[in-house]
Amino acid sequence: MGLLILLTSTLLYSYFHPGRVVDAQRLFILKDITLTIEPSKDVKRGTNVSLRCKATVSQSETWELRREYTVYKDNNLIYNKTSISEEILYPLGEARVANSGKYRCEINIDDKPQRPSETQKLTVTGLSKPQLRLNKGVVKEGEEITATCIAPGEMGSFFFYIYEDSNEIKEKQVSSNQAEFKLRFSSVNRRRIHCTYTVLITPYSVKSEESNNVTVSVKELPITIDLDIDPVTRVYEGDQLNILCKVNGLQHSDESVRLLLIQGIQILSSGLTNVSHSMVAQANYAEEFECKFEMGNVVKTATKTISVIELFSAPTLTVSPDEVFQRDDVTLTCKSESYASERLSEDELTYTLDPPQTPQTPSRKGVFSVKSLRIETNYTCVAEAMRIKKRSKTLTVRPKIFVSTPKISVVGRAILGQPVKILCQSDIGSLPINYTLFKDFVEVSTISINRSSQQAHFEVNITSPEDIKQYICEASNNHRHNKQPLSEKLNAIVIVPPSYAELMAVPDESGIYEGDDLYLLCRADGTPPVTFKWYHVGNNLPLYTNTSNDYSSSYQVPSVSKEHNGRYYCEAFNHVNKVVRSEEVTIEVQMVLWKKALIGGFCLLAVSVLVVVCVLCFRSKRGKRDGAAELSVGHGQRSCSQRLDQTTT
């Protein structure tokens, strides 16, 4: 829907023009506003393009509305016009790539802004071919020429590029359709030059084709460079070198000139037309000399290479012996391995040792004896001949520390019949250290320790407790000494696991009566302390547990009774945790004698009473009494026997 605006002209006009009277019924409404690109939104370069902005307005009466039209390209104002017409036409003319972009139209009616039109995008394709012009076609080395690159008929913001063959050599950003470049060529040759340009269109750019090719001929300047070195052959280290660098054929020029004499990356001397330099030849100097002339951007050079024969080589410093220990006497040897015998004799070479304050005794040329070396020391030596000095590389002598007497010990526990781990270790000593284990002075094995985190662990089997004392170890880090420190003999306890357990009852099983105190004695072998446990068959929990430093221990059962009857056994173990179990012992608690006598007397009395009763009955009824008496006597005898058995049980 279009934006509906109802305006009461009286109120609005009175607000801006107080004191005036106007018609209160002037009303209008903006129904639509459109922007069209004619003839099309996609055109080729050179097409006549126009922008048409049209506003459709409904009003209450026929009167002239003042309309202000504004056209924007990429949010930038490009055209503004006030009119009473319903539309305006804005001609862009012959379109160029620079006209490409997004356009929109806005309208104000009676100074009140209204809704803008929808955005329309214009795309123009095609760029003109660039033209390249040079002010000169033939130039001398370093002479400046002017190159002009033109984009015919184009407009906008440009980047221009100049190419030599296919290589870009310059670029320039301008707001006009042409750009000038100042060019110089420093070397003799024929050059092919062309250019291109790019039109900047937010947010991209459009590049043109290549321009025409223009050829430039560069002529050489009549200038030569001479470089003389004396001597140039058979140059020995220490010889005096005389070097001359000069320019020939130089004519007057407005350009700045400079002449340089260079060796490697070092500038030895500089001037305008000639320079000279004297130096002592050194074997470690760069062998190439360069004479370089600069005039503007023109550069001419001359180079020469000389070979310098080394008078003598840099000395090397060595130490003997290779393995040095604290307080050892060492020999340091300084020597140059090669020298030019045609210029120098060996006797002319002298050697000195640094630091000179070190206690030293030169035994012969280049050989130095250093006494009682204690700490790490850095040494260098200097060889000198014909006022030339050469220093050796630094030699660091690090005296090693003799290994101390090792200590021998058992890691963990030594258990008979199981592998035992033995540690051999010295408190001080330089690595590597070789530890050797001996049994009764017979070598068992050797372990080499190369890092401080390592330890010498030996694993052996102990067959008897006395074997442990036959082990000793040796530590060695000095191969030049035959006598190496030995440890003490290994002193450690060998734990012997128990091999049996035996259970005894006191008193013995045949003489245990009710009320007696029972002692269960358990014996075992093995290394104390030994832990003993007593068990009653039928009960998984031990009756009693005791740890003893002896080979036996007892468990007391006070005042035994029939409930203590049964089978008993014991178990024994020590630190090895090997459990041995005894054979079972059967305990039977017997009845005391007075109880047995009492039961027997009671039974005899009962029999006597029955006999009397039977006699009396027999007399009264002979036949019947005889059968009854026999039955009663038999029953009484069985009853006594059952009661006696129950008491015994």
Side-chain angles (χ1 to χ4, degrees):
M1 288 180 60
L3 175 66
L4 177 63
I5 299 178
L6 300 176
L7 298 174
T8 304
S9 300
T10 303
L11 296 177
L12 293 175
Y13 197 84
S14 298
Y15 180 82
F16 292 102
H17 306 280
R20 297 185 182 182
V21 179
V22 296
D23 187 354
Q25 301 301 318
R26 294 180 59 181
L27 301 176
F28 69 87
I29 180 173
L30 176 63
K31 298 182 64 178
D32 192 18
I33 180 170
T34 59
L35 176 68
T36 56
I37 300 176
E38 300 174 356
S40 173
K41 293 189 291 184
D42 297 310
V43 297
K44 294 183 178 180
R45 177 184 182 274
T47 304
N48 283 318
V49 177
S50 299
L51 303 179
R52 186 179 299 276
C53 182
K54 182 177 181 179
T56 303
V57 180
S58 298
Q59 56 190 79
S60 59
E61 296 180 4
T62 302
W63 82 93
E64 293 182 351
L65 291 175
R66 188 170 61 88
R67 312 176 189 208
E68 181 181 6
Y69 295 90
T70 306
V71 179
Y72 293 87
K73 175 180 180 287
D74 298 327
N75 294 322
N76 297 314
L77 189 151
I78 60 171
Y79 181 68
N80 180 267
K81 182 179 181 180
T82 301
S83 172
I84 61 174
S85 175
E86 289 188 353
E87 64 179 26
I88 62 166
L89 189 66
Y90 172 53
L92 294 179
E94 293 185 356
R96 297 291 184 263
V97 169
N99 295 126
S100 298
K102 296 179 180 180
Y103 294 85
R104 76 174 188 275
C105 175
E106 293 184 358
I107 187 171
N108 288 354
I109 301 177
D110 282 351
D111 297 328
K112 294 299 178 182
Q114 309 298 321
R115 180 188 66 176
S117 70
E118 292 184 357
T119 299
Q120 302 293 329
K121 183 177 180 180
L122 172 64
T123 302
V124 181
T125 57
L127 289 174
S128 62
K129 182 177 180 177
Q131 298 176 2
L132 178 63
R133 299 172 184 172
L134 301 182
N135 65 336
K136 293 181 181 180
V138 179
V139 295
K140 295 179 180 180
E141 287 181 281
E143 185 178 355
E144 184 180 85
I145 63 173
T146 301
T148 304
C149 188
I150 304 171
E154 300 297 337
M155 59 182 181
S157 180
F158 298 85
F159 267 102
F160 283 91
Y161 307 91
I162 294 291
Y163 297 85
E164 181 180 342
D165 295 328
S166 59
N167 300 316
E168 180 186 323
I169 57 175
K170 283 195 175 184
E171 72 172 36
K172 182 182 288 187
Q173 183 178 8
V174 296
S175 57
S176 63
N177 68 338
Q178 67 178 23
E180 285 190 356
F181 297 88
K182 302 297 182 181
L183 306 179
R184 291 176 184 268
F185 301 102
S186 59
S187 59
V188 177
N189 207 339
R190 289 174 63 86
R191 312 296 177 88
R192 294 177 58 197
I193 310 299
H194 70 273
C195 70
T196 63
Y197 67 90
T198 296
V199 180
L200 301 180
I201 304 173
T202 305
Y204 57 93
S205 61
V206 180
K207 189 173 182 179
S208 73
E209 60 180 307
E210 295 182 357
S211 72
N212 55 305
N213 285 296
V214 180
T215 301
V216 180
S217 297
V218 182
K219 294 184 177 181
E220 185 177 10
L221 290 173
I223 297 174
T224 59
I225 308 298
D226 289 340
L227 176 61
D228 295 324
I229 302 176
D230 184 38
V232 71
T233 60
R234 301 297 294 173
V235 180
Y236 286 87
E237 185 179 13
D239 287 352
Q240 189 74 23
L241 293 178
N242 297 310
I243 307 170
L244 177 63
C245 174
K246 63 180 180 179
V247 181
N248 299 316
L250 178 63
Q251 299 177 357
H252 175 73
S253 174
D254 294 333
E255 300 286 350
S256 61
V257 297
R258 184 171 64 163
L259 185 64
L260 303 173
L261 178 60
I262 303 171
Q263 181 191 17
I265 61 172
Q266 181 182 4
I267 298 177
L268 301 178
S269 183
S270 64
L272 296 178
T273 59
N274 65 80
V275 294
S276 61
H277 183 75
S278 294
M279 60 183 293
V280 175
Q282 299 287 344
N284 58 348
Y285 278 4
E287 298 178 344
E288 185 177 85
F289 293 87
E290 179 184 10
C291 183
K292 185 176 184 180
F293 174 71
E294 297 177 350
M295 184 177 69
N297 68 333
V298 176
V299 178
K300 291 185 176 294
T301 62
T303 60
K304 278 189 179 181
T305 301
I306 63 171
S307 177
V308 180
I309 302 172
E310 189 176 45
L311 195 61
F312 59 92
S313 61
T316 56
L317 184 61
T318 58
V319 61
S320 178
D322 295 335
E323 192 175 54
V324 179
F325 284 82
Q326 287 183 336
R327 301 183 180 274
D328 276 0
D329 295 341
V330 298
T331 299
L332 299 174
T333 302
C334 180
K335 185 178 181 181
S336 292
E337 298 298 332
S338 62
Y339 62 94
S341 58
E342 64 272 22
R343 282 288 190 96
L344 180 69
S345 67
E346 188 175 4
D347 293 337
E348 293 180 85
L349 276 169
T350 61
Y351 301 98
T352 55
L353 187 66
D354 186 39
Q357 68 273 16
T358 303
Q360 52 184 283
T361 304
S363 57
R364 60 184 185 275
K365 180 178 287 190
V367 180
F368 305 90
S369 297
V370 180
K371 304 291 185 180
S372 301
L373 193 63
R374 296 185 179 184
I375 61 174
E376 178 181 308
T377 308
N378 293 326
Y379 293 96
T380 58
C381 73
V382 178
E384 182 177 0
M386 299 178 66
R387 301 189 304 276
I388 297 176
K389 293 182 179 181
K390 293 186 179 181
R391 184 176 292 271
S392 71
K393 293 182 179 179
T394 300
L395 173 66
T396 301
V397 180
R398 297 181 177 90
K400 298 178 68 175
I401 301 173
F402 285 107
V403 67
S404 62
T405 300
K407 299 175 182 178
I408 188 169
S409 60
V410 171
V411 179
R413 294 191 177 105
I415 299 173
L416 187 68
Q418 297 184 12
V420 176
K421 187 176 289 187
I422 297 175
L423 171 64
C424 189
Q425 189 173 29
S426 296
D427 292 333
I428 59 173
S430 298
L431 299 174
I433 300 175
N434 292 327
Y435 292 98
T436 303
L437 184 68
F438 295 89
K439 181 181 180 183
D440 200 14
F441 297 100
V442 177
E443 182 177 335
V444 177
S445 64
T446 299
I447 295 177
S448 182
I449 301 301
N450 298 296
R451 299 192 304 272
S452 58
S453 59
Q454 290 180 305
Q455 289 184 321
H457 287 136
F458 301 89
E459 193 170 277
V460 298
N461 288 317
I462 304 297
T463 57
S464 68
E466 292 74 21
D467 282 353
I468 200 75
K469 297 181 180 180
Q470 296 180 0
Y471 289 97
I472 59 173
C473 74
E474 175 190 85
S476 171
N477 67 348
N478 185 356
H479 302 294
R480 294 185 287 113
H481 292 182
N482 294 327
K483 188 177 181 180
Q484 306 296 345
L486 288 172
S487 70
E488 300 288 341
K489 290 185 177 181
L490 180 57
N491 185 14
I493 296 174
V494 178
I495 300 175
V496 179
S499 61
Y500 75 95
E502 181 183 8
L503 182 64
M504 298 174 58
V506 179
D508 61 18
E509 301 93 314
S510 61
I512 303 174
Y513 294 93
E514 290 180 312
D516 289 348
D517 290 339
L518 174 64
Y519 294 90
L520 297 176
L521 178 64
C522 188
R523 295 175 58 87
D525 61 351
T527 303
V530 180
T531 299
F532 297 93
K533 292 185 177 181
W534 288 263
Y535 291 88
H536 190 181
V537 176
N539 185 1
N540 293 330
L541 298 177
L543 300 173
Y544 179 59
T545 300
N546 182 41
T547 300
S548 173
N549 289 320
D550 295 329
Y551 295 101
S552 64
S553 182
S554 63
Y555 167 55
Q556 180 186 7
V557 183
S559 188
V560 296
S561 61
K562 289 291 185 178
E563 65 182 13
H564 294 109
N565 287 346
R567 290 172 294 157
Y568 291 82
Y569 66 92
C570 71
E571 292 180 347
F573 61 91
N574 58 7
H575 288 301
V576 184
N577 289 327
K578 177 185 176 183
V579 180
V580 292
R581 175 172 170 172
S582 71
E583 294 184 357
E584 295 179 356
V585 173
T586 301
I587 301 298
E588 185 175 351
V589 180
Q590 302 181 28
M591 187 181 298
V592 293
L593 295 177
W594 67 267
K595 285 187 176 181
K596 290 184 178 181
L598 180 62
I599 293 172
F602 177 77
C603 291
L604 290 175
L605 178 60
V607 171
S608 300
V609 172
L610 289 174
V611 170
V612 172
V613 172
C614 289
V615 171
L616 294 175
C617 291
F618 177 75
R619 289 178 179 177
S620 60
K621 293 182 181 179
R622 186 175 183 85
K624 202 171 185 181
R625 283 198 302 270
D626 290 341
E630 292 176 0
L631 181 61
S632 298
V633 171
H635 182 270
Q637 291 177 345
R638 286 194 301 273
S639 175
C640 288
S641 297
Q642 291 175 356
R643 186 171 297 176
L644 180 61
D645 291 340
Q646 291 174 357
T647 305
T648 301
T649 302

